[in-house]
Amino acid sequence: MTNVTEVTQFLLLGLTRDPELQVPLFITFALIYLSTLVGNLGIIMLILLDSHLHTPMYFLLGNLSLVDVCYSSAVTPTVLAGFIPGDTVISYDACAAQMFFFAAFATVENYLLASMAYDRYAAVCKPLHYTTTMTQSVCAGLATGSYVCGFLNASIHTGDTFSLSFCTFSVVHHFFCDVPAVMVLSCSDRQVSELVLVCVVSFNVFFALLVILISYMSIFITILKMPSSAGYQKALSTCASHFAAVSIFYGTIIFMYLQPSSSHSMDTDKMASVFYAMIIPLLNPVVYSLRNKEIKSAFMKVVVGKTVPRIMISTM
């Protein structure tokens, strides 16, 4: 009979136990986290301070930046603590809280990306009706719906995982309390829990992907019908950054969660988790602002304190 007792804490193995790698990795991930905070909070401040950015596109982008800060902050401090000599122990309640907030904000990002795809569809395919399609109430509804779905999803996963029984000594082969890494430690039958995980994640991912694919198919058809190359290039550049972010995000999510735990390689999962937990929040500000004339103009106006002509911005 399996010895099952009340578990009060978990031991996180972290990314590596190699002492020679711990200091370089600590510095690397600390810089990544700092850059993530500066980049995303900077975008939020620019959107709040520049009235020209008070549009549906930037409202959704501001929420995306906020979510990136939140779900990166749910994980990265624990990762950094794992590089400090000694065992990284996390309490039962702290592990549940970390899982909840990470799952919540990751799901919110999932639906925000779908909302942004719909926004791009409205901007490219129905430009004359854009202001009446993407009204303030519609934008607020899309954002609110994303948060509701996110926290509902997190409640399901966290409740489902921690309703299982765990053995006395629970070692998490990961650098944070991710659902598959914790669920695999259960001493009880977890087939139903795994099925719930796959079904709920599948619905979230494929519903959002369906919205994104339909939006981009419509955009692509509209672009092909454009008579001028200038309009073609403008429409393409408008969607390129979002498409890049979508590809990275959904590629890692599908790889991580839509497979049974028996086929999971924890080392491989750790590398994939680094991408969606730390690299994607770092890349999003770069992807969405690198060639964005409005963001550059707002930066010059807010930080430098002067307005730069759009022609000069386009050459930067």
Side-chain angles (χ1 to χ4, degrees):
M1 183 175 179
T2 306
N3 181 25
V4 180
T5 58
E6 184 179 355
V7 173
T8 58
Q9 61 186 20
F10 295 92
L11 176 65
L12 298 174
L13 288 186
L15 269 175
T16 180
R17 287 290 177 178
D18 189 341
E20 295 182 357
L21 294 176
Q22 287 180 336
V23 173
L25 287 176
F26 179 89
I27 296 173
T28 300
F29 286 117
L31 290 174
I32 288 174
Y33 183 53
L34 180 62
S35 301
T36 298
L37 294 180
V38 171
N40 285 290
L41 293 177
I43 285 182
I44 294 171
M45 290 303 298
L46 288 177
I47 292 171
L48 290 174
L49 294 175
D50 193 334
S51 59
H52 293 94
L53 300 182
H54 294 174
T55 63
M57 173 183 171
Y58 292 107
F59 171 76
L60 295 172
L61 179 57
N63 277 276
L64 185 72
S65 295
L66 176 63
V67 167
D68 281 338
V69 169
C70 291
Y71 92 80
S72 179
S73 297
V75 173
T76 310
T78 306
V79 178
L80 295 177
F83 295 126
I84 299 173
D87 292 335
T88 305
V89 177
I90 186 170
S91 69
Y92 184 92
D93 292 338
C95 184
Q98 184 181 58
M99 180 183 294
F100 176 84
F101 285 111
F102 180 78
F105 289 115
T107 308
V108 174
E109 174 140 347
N110 171 65
Y111 284 106
L112 281 176
L113 288 171
S115 300
M116 293 173 76
Y118 176 73
D119 173 72
R120 294 300 82 207
Y121 157 77
V124 175
C125 300
K126 298 183 178 181
L128 298 179
H129 299 88
Y130 181 70
T131 54
T132 56
T133 301
M134 296 300 294
T135 60
Q136 287 186 349
S137 59
V138 170
C139 292
L142 290 172
T144 303
S146 298
Y147 286 100
V148 169
C149 290
F151 283 92
L152 178 62
N153 176 71
S155 299
I156 294 172
H157 288 321
T158 307
D160 189 41
T161 301
F162 284 91
S163 65
L164 299 171
S165 300
F166 295 95
C167 297
T168 306
F169 190 64
S170 295
V171 179
V172 180
H173 292 265
H174 214 308
F175 52 82
F176 75 103
C177 290
D178 200 9
V179 177
V182 175
M183 189 177 288
V184 77
L185 302 176
S186 173
C187 296
S188 54
D189 185 9
R190 58 177 184 270
Q191 286 186 338
V192 174
S193 297
E194 289 179 352
L195 183 62
V196 170
L197 173 66
V198 172
C199 289
V200 174
V201 172
S202 297
F203 174 79
N204 289 328
V205 170
F206 290 117
F207 177 78
L209 274 177
L210 182 64
V211 173
I212 292 170
L213 289 173
I214 292 174
S215 298
Y216 273 102
M217 285 177 63
S218 301
I219 289 171
F220 182 69
I221 293 171
T222 302
I223 287 175
L224 291 178
K225 294 179 180 178
M226 289 182 176
S228 66
S229 59
Y232 174 89
Q233 291 295 332
K234 183 178 179 180
L236 205 59
S237 63
T238 300
C239 304
S241 56
H242 180 261
F243 186 77
V246 164
S247 301
I248 298 171
F249 181 81
Y250 286 104
T252 52
I253 290 294
I254 291 172
F255 176 81
M256 277 295 299
Y257 296 106
L258 299 186
Q259 55 175 322
S261 60
S262 58
S263 62
H264 274 260
S265 166
M266 287 304 171
D267 289 335
T268 305
D269 284 358
K270 287 180 185 180
M271 295 302 104
S273 297
V274 167
F275 267 90
Y276 74 79
M278 285 174 279
I279 303 301
I280 290 177
L282 171 68
L283 290 179
N284 278 344
V286 178
V287 167
Y288 284 106
S289 63
L290 190 62
R291 297 187 61 81
N292 190 306
K293 298 174 185 178
E294 287 80 9
I295 291 289
K296 289 182 180 179
S297 179
F299 177 82
M300 297 298 291
K301 181 179 178 181
V302 172
V303 178
V304 182
K306 62 180 181 180
T307 302
V308 180
R310 186 174 294 274
I311 296 176
M312 290 182 63
I313 293 291
S314 64
T315 60
M316 292 174 64

